[in-house]
Amino acid sequence: MRTPRTRRGRRPAGLTAGLLAAALALTACAQGGSADTGGGATSDAADPDEPVTIRWSWWGSDTRHTLTQEVIDLFEQKNPTITVVPDYTDWGSYFDKLSVSVAGGDAPDVITQEERYLADYAAKGVLADLSALDVDTSKIDDTILQSGTIDDAVYGIATGVNVYSVVADPQAFADAGVEMPDDTTWTWEDYVEIANEITEKSGGAVYGAQDYGFNEPGFSILARQHDQSLYDEDGALGFEPELLAQWWQHSLDMQAAGGQPEAAKTVEVDAGGPEQSLVGTNTGAMAWFWSNQLTALANASGRPLQLLRVPGESQFDRTGMYFKPAMYYSVSSRSEHPEAAAKLVDFLLNDPEAGAILLSDRGLPANTEVRAAVTEKFADTDKQAAEFLSSLEDEIVDGPVVPPVGAGQVTEIVKRLNAEVLFGRMTPQQAAEQFVQEVEAAIS
């Protein structure tokens, strides 16, 4: 195992993280440093009937912007003394824009956050501790709350949840004459054997599986099954390199036996997203995706698809799957109106009318009662995903820690090294050791 290190002082990744680091440094200077921030917001004026204006930032598509304006209108109707100013952009420029706002001492009051950057902002005192504000979290699963908690302070609350899972095409199984697996008992070895069998029995017309190695959440689940973790509580790597090598070896075994495509096709398919995936194009029986991608996959395939637990959940001493926040609601620690900001966050999380507007736009509602109340309004695929998440509630024991500062680089690292393994330019063990070296440098 790696020697634990504190989260403070890690290098952010790429242009966005570089801007973020500069912004946070400027903010610390402008506000007298981070030592006196305490993660707590300033107090509202004493008069709760005094009109106030707050700003809410988010990223997304035009559809999300329209839905969000609808929910803002509803909130203002119910809270006539609070005006909410929308502050939105696309994903590609969101964090650059946010970092500039923070640097200028003009952070939004309610900030939409993403898990890879939550620790960056929290470490510099930019975010308030939501547990000290009036936000009801009693209907949100503890593992979901844990995902936005650092050193016992809640810096983000999940807007909604999804889960990394195996998406299967029952028709592809039936056409190949292979039974669908029992996902409550299947092992990693079963997964490899089933994938190979489907390709063989279909005469190569359909691949048994799409490669999973480009996305580290799959390995995170395997590590958790072995009572290890991608990152530990101190923000260091928490797994043995041999386990990562085993994860890549399973993929190589499928490639060698035909259970998944050759390397060149695998890279091409991965770049195409859900619509060009093997399952999405009726050329594969299984693929790993987040549950909120089921609608896009089903629309692309034109077939009913099924969500399955990942292999190995009953194979080891504990389960590894976890509920992942789609994104987070955070409140600025320097908001002039933290009570109003908290009231908006509470409304977004807990008001069934708000849930009926947003539905699954920001993930399936984190509040389980709101989720149940609006389920009938979901599309069929979202209903299936909601039922799947409900079936996991007694099996998921906890969630991963918040990724450390610098974790934004891991996506590129794992994609590159996975390709090296698939093309035979590195062995799984070599790639695992290289992964450890590069990620340790990124988060140190």
Side-chain angles (χ1 to χ4, degrees):
M1 305 286 268
R2 314 271 75 80
T3 302
R5 291 188 299 274
T6 175
R7 285 192 178 90
R8 292 177 172 80
R10 294 197 171 106
R11 293 194 302 274
L15 174 62
T16 296
L19 286 171
L20 173 61
L24 294 179
L26 287 171
T27 303
C29 293
Q31 297 177 348
S34 62
D36 64 344
T37 65
T42 56
S43 298
D44 276 344
D47 185 0
D49 296 323
E50 182 74 19
V52 300
T53 297
I54 59 175
R55 197 162 97 251
W56 173 19
S57 68
W58 72 87
W59 68 82
S61 64
D62 289 342
T63 299
R64 173 169 296 161
H65 304 332
T66 299
L67 291 174
T68 305
Q69 188 58 59
E70 287 182 33
V71 88
I72 287 174
D73 292 343
L74 178 61
F75 174 78
E76 291 177 339
Q77 290 173 19
K78 294 190 174 188
N79 300 273
T81 63
I82 304 175
T83 298
V84 180
V85 176
D87 181 2
Y88 57 86
T89 185
D90 60 278
W91 164 254
S93 56
Y94 177 79
F95 279 97
D96 289 344
K97 179 180 179 181
L98 178 61
S99 65
V100 171
S101 296
V102 169
D106 187 34
D109 300 270
V110 177
I111 304 170
T112 303
Q113 271 288 350
E114 202 271 342
E115 67 175 359
R116 285 171 292 180
Y117 299 103
L118 189 67
D120 295 49
Y121 281 93
K124 294 296 184 180
V126 175
L127 306 180
D129 179 1
L130 291 167
S131 66
L133 297 174
D134 190 15
V135 179
D136 181 9
T137 59
S138 62
K139 303 302 179 183
I140 298 176
D141 188 276
D142 285 343
T143 65
I144 300 301
L145 287 176
Q146 176 189 338
S147 71
T149 301
I150 303 173
D151 297 332
D152 298 324
V154 180
Y155 292 113
I157 301 177
T159 64
V161 297
N162 53 28
V163 67
Y164 204 48
S165 55
V166 175
V167 179
D169 182 348
Q171 184 174 328
F173 275 82
D175 290 347
V178 176
E179 290 187 9
M180 289 281 289
D182 179 351
D183 68 339
T184 65
T185 61
W186 69 335
T187 66
W188 285 84
E189 291 75 21
D190 291 334
Y191 177 78
V192 173
E193 291 175 7
I194 290 170
N196 293 341
E197 183 182 9
I198 289 172
T199 303
E200 179 183 357
K201 289 189 174 180
S202 69
V206 172
Y207 290 102
Q210 181 171 321
D211 174 66
Y212 55 60
F214 290 102
N215 202 349
E216 76 274 14
F219 172 68
S220 178
I221 292 173
L222 175 64
R224 286 161 53 79
Q225 290 173 346
H226 285 264
D227 205 24
Q228 300 179 36
S229 59
L230 183 56
Y231 306 110
D232 65 20
E233 291 286 347
D234 296 305
L237 294 180
F239 62 89
E240 298 293 344
E242 291 74 20
L243 188 62
L244 180 56
Q246 176 185 323
W247 183 64
W248 268 318
Q249 187 61 54
H250 285 316
S251 176
L252 275 188
D253 291 344
M254 286 186 288
Q255 180 176 274
Q260 69 182 37
E262 67 279 7
K265 183 172 180 63
T266 285
V267 172
E268 177 186 353
V269 168
D270 176 72
E275 289 78 8
Q276 297 303 314
S277 67
L278 297 183
V279 170
T281 56
N282 306 140
T283 55
M286 296 183 290
W288 295 56
F289 282 98
W290 294 103
S291 55
N292 65 342
Q293 295 173 294
L294 181 63
T295 297
L297 289 162
N299 289 343
S301 71
R303 298 177 179 178
L305 302 176
Q306 184 173 337
L307 294 171
L308 301 176
R309 292 166 178 80
V310 305
E313 286 293 89
S314 61
Q315 186 176 1
F316 307 105
D317 290 338
R318 56 156 290 162
T319 59
M321 294 178 71
Y322 59 91
F323 295 129
K324 178 189 180 299
M327 55 191 80
Y328 297 95
Y329 295 126
S330 296
V331 169
S332 168
S333 64
R334 293 300 174 182
S335 172
E336 295 182 0
H337 307 291
E339 292 180 6
K343 186 170 287 189
L344 174 59
V345 171
D346 186 82
F347 169 79
L348 295 169
L349 293 170
N350 300 317
D351 190 294
E353 291 184 70
I357 293 173
L358 296 176
L359 293 176
S360 62
D361 179 69
R362 287 168 165 84
L364 296 176
N367 180 316
T368 53
E369 287 191 356
V370 170
R371 190 188 310 164
V374 303
T375 294
E376 288 306 311
K377 297 179 180 292
F378 286 159
D380 288 344
T381 46
D382 286 334
K383 289 179 181 178
Q384 181 185 344
E387 291 172 1
F388 184 67
L389 264 66
S390 294
S391 73
L392 298 172
E393 288 177 356
D394 293 334
E395 302 172 20
I396 289 178
V397 294
D398 56 21
V401 298
V402 177
V405 176
Q409 296 185 48
V410 174
T411 299
E412 185 279 328
I413 293 171
V414 74
K415 279 182 176 289
R416 173 168 42 79
L417 293 178
N418 186 61
E420 293 295 296
V421 170
L422 294 177
F423 280 104
R425 295 189 288 258
M426 298 181 77
T427 67
Q429 187 64 38
Q430 289 170 336
E433 292 170 359
Q434 183 71 18
F435 179 89
V436 169
Q437 179 180 337
E438 292 191 29
V439 175
E440 284 190 329
I443 64 177
S444 62

